[in-house]
Amino acid sequence: MFCTGPGDRPATRLELGHAAGDDAPPAHLSVDGMTPTGPNLSHWPGNRTPPQWKADLSTGIALRFAAASDDEQAAFLGDATHVVNDHYDTDGFGSLLAVLRPDVAARCEDRLLSAATVGDFGVWHTWRGFAIDRIVRDLASADSPILGAFHGVGERDLALARYRWLVEHAEAVLDNTGGFRALYEEEMALVQQQIDEGLRGALDARRTPELGFSAVRTDGARHRMTVNTLAGAWRVLHVLEGRDGARYRYHDRTESWFELVTFQPQPRRDLRGLRDVLRDLEPAQADAWWHADPPDTPIPELYFGPEREQAYGEVTRELWPSALSPERVERACLDFFAQTA
């Protein structure tokens, strides 16, 4: 499918390299994610982005590429005629749009970067950025006003179909977010309310800036974006206090997984070492225990509860009350991270 319009590059064809292992088309540019070979514009670990275009987000990188001279672009692309992405998200959409419809992307640069920040870093940035990210995420959901556009599309081809629709109809999303409010307004209201309540004292963030660590205490569950936004740190322990005890979920924010330019979180540590410390402290329970993800996971977690897998960007693991006090768990975290300070 060719994407046409003012400022478009009609020789560039939009395709999607499936993450399931399908071969990407020959002579391609990969954006946001990475295929094994060829030109690449991405902030993922191990990317092949030229130094002059590096930025914190893949969308920012693609916008810099789009602003380069025709000669510089041609030298970089070589014989590439396709642009691909191996996963579906908002930063991927912004990157594809910058390459395929650079005039539209340049006009909407602030909105695209805000939306990619919300999606990739999981923090509140602007209301419009939140809205665009959720529109992209839920474009083919049951509440979507354009659900019919994906009728008959199988799961295997859904990411490509959504990217194609978004690139063709980018103005409808970027200039008319209100037409898709069913996809974001309820969740937006929840996050805004929780952030406001947190700023008024309903959330207790105990920060240790030199370690990049924050222990956030709340009286029950909070949206991950609320916790990230108010934590003020890259290493975040969320303590959910309840009548039956405290529940714990720690995570490294995704910023420490990406390759960044303008800021640098503390290096990650293998949370399985901290898991072992907490296991030694915790009285044995039959069905719950401390578990931790490896550090190469985009958002690794340490938690107390039944062991469960969790998809990227989701917060679905069940937490159980621990016998350990918040002070003891916080101290164990601080001691663990201080070892590399």
Side-chain angles (χ1 to χ4, degrees), residues 29-82:
L29 162 68
S30 61
V31 298
D32 197 24
M34 291 187 297
T35 52
T37 60
N40 172 240
L41 299 172
S42 174
H43 65 161
W44 279 32
N47 68 75
R48 303 183 296 278
T49 301
Q52 69 271 24
W53 295 332
K54 286 185 179 292
D56 293 333
L57 294 156
S58 295
T59 296
I61 293 170
L63 285 163
R64 291 184 177 186
F65 161 82
S69 69
D70 290 345
D71 288 345
E72 192 174 8
Q73 290 183 16
F76 171 68
L77 291 175
D79 60 353
T81 57
H82 294 64

Side-chain angles (χ1 to χ4, degrees), residues 194 197-198 201-205 216-223 226-227 238-247:
Q194 289 184 353
E197 291 173 348
L203 179 149
D204 177 16
V216 176
R217 296 192 188 190
T218 63
D219 58 349
R222 294 294 188 278
H223 197 288
T226 302
V227 175
H238 186 191
V239 182
L240 297 82
E241 297 180 305
R243 293 182 178 179
D244 57 350
R247 291 168 168 79

Side-chain angles (χ1 to χ4, degrees), residues 1-332:
M1 172 188 166
F2 288 82
C3 299
T4 60
D8 294 351
R9 296 183 176 84
T12 305
R13 185 177 180 183
L14 174 62
E15 294 286 354
L16 180 70
H18 293 278
D22 293 354
D23 292 334
H28 65 272
L29 162 68
S30 61
V31 298
D32 197 24
M34 291 187 297
T35 52
T37 60
N40 172 240
L41 299 172
S42 174
H43 65 161
W44 279 32
N47 68 75
R48 303 183 296 278
T49 301
Q52 69 271 24
W53 295 332
K54 286 185 179 292
D56 293 333
L57 294 156
S58 295
T59 296
I61 293 170
L63 285 163
R64 291 184 177 186
F65 161 82
S69 69
D70 290 345
D71 288 345
E72 192 174 8
Q73 290 183 16
F76 171 68
L77 291 175
D79 60 353
T81 57
H82 294 64
V83 56
V84 306
N85 190 4
D86 59 7
H87 66 288
Y88 178 82
D89 68 3
T90 302
D91 200 23
F93 161 54
S95 302
L96 290 168
L97 188 68
V99 172
L100 293 165
R101 303 189 65 188
D103 284 4
V104 174
R107 178 176 65 81
C108 302
E109 177 176 345
D110 289 349
R111 279 169 275 176
L112 289 169
L113 290 172
S114 180
T117 297
V118 172
D120 267 18
F121 298 160
V123 294
W124 181 266
H125 195 255
T126 67
W127 77 264
R128 195 180 298 275
F130 183 95
I132 293 168
D133 176 66
R134 270 29 187 186
I135 292 169
V136 174
R137 184 190 70 182
D138 296 331
L139 192 66
S141 70
D143 294 328
S144 175
I146 57 109
L147 177 60
F150 308 107
H151 178 73
V153 178
E155 186 66 30
R156 174 185 174 85
D157 300 315
L158 184 58
L160 175 58
R162 287 180 290 179
Y163 272 145
R164 283 177 166 167
W165 190 95
L166 285 166
V167 171
E168 275 193 41
H169 302 89
E171 296 93 336
V173 173
L174 299 173
D175 297 334
N176 185 33
T177 53
F180 298 85
R181 61 171 47 91
L183 302 184
Y184 64 81
E185 62 179 354
E186 184 176 345
E187 186 183 8
M188 177 186 289
L190 172 65
V191 173
Q192 288 179 313
Q193 177 186 344
Q194 289 184 353
I195 290 176
D196 181 66
E197 291 173 348
L199 292 172
R200 294 172 183 269
L203 179 149
D204 177 16
R206 303 170 184 236
R207 302 181 181 92
T208 308
E210 65 272 21
L211 298 179
F213 175 80
S214 182
V216 176
R217 296 192 188 190
T218 63
D219 58 349
R222 294 294 188 278
H223 197 288
R224 171 61 62 84
M225 189 169 295
T226 302
V227 175
N228 278 347
T229 302
L230 298 179
W234 314 112
R235 297 165 166 166
V236 183
L237 173 67
H238 186 191
V239 182
L240 297 82
E241 297 180 305
R243 293 182 178 179
D244 57 350
R247 291 168 168 79
Y248 301 99
R249 177 187 281 117
Y250 169 92
H251 68 281
D252 285 323
R253 283 171 47 168
T254 189
E255 288 95 331
S256 60
W257 186 74
F258 294 118
E259 180 187 298
L260 305 175
V261 174
T262 65
F263 61 98
Q264 187 59 60
Q266 285 83 350
R268 290 187 172 186
R269 293 202 60 201
D270 192 332
L271 298 175
R272 291 171 291 192
L274 178 56
R275 173 204 65 190
D276 294 342
V277 170
L278 292 168
R279 282 182 174 181
D280 288 341
L281 295 173
E282 184 80 41
Q285 295 193 31
D287 299 313
W289 204 231
W290 287 95
H291 303 285
D293 300 316
D296 58 353
T297 304
I299 307 177
E301 286 190 349
L302 166 80
Y303 62 99
F304 184 79
E307 186 172 17
R308 297 285 187 274
E309 293 296 322
Q310 181 170 255
Y312 170 64
E314 300 293 330
V315 186
T316 55
R317 283 166 166 153
E318 180 183 3
L319 304 182
W320 285 26
S322 164
L324 301 180
S325 69
E327 291 76 16
R328 199 168 192 188
V329 174
E330 290 175 29
R331 174 44 55 190

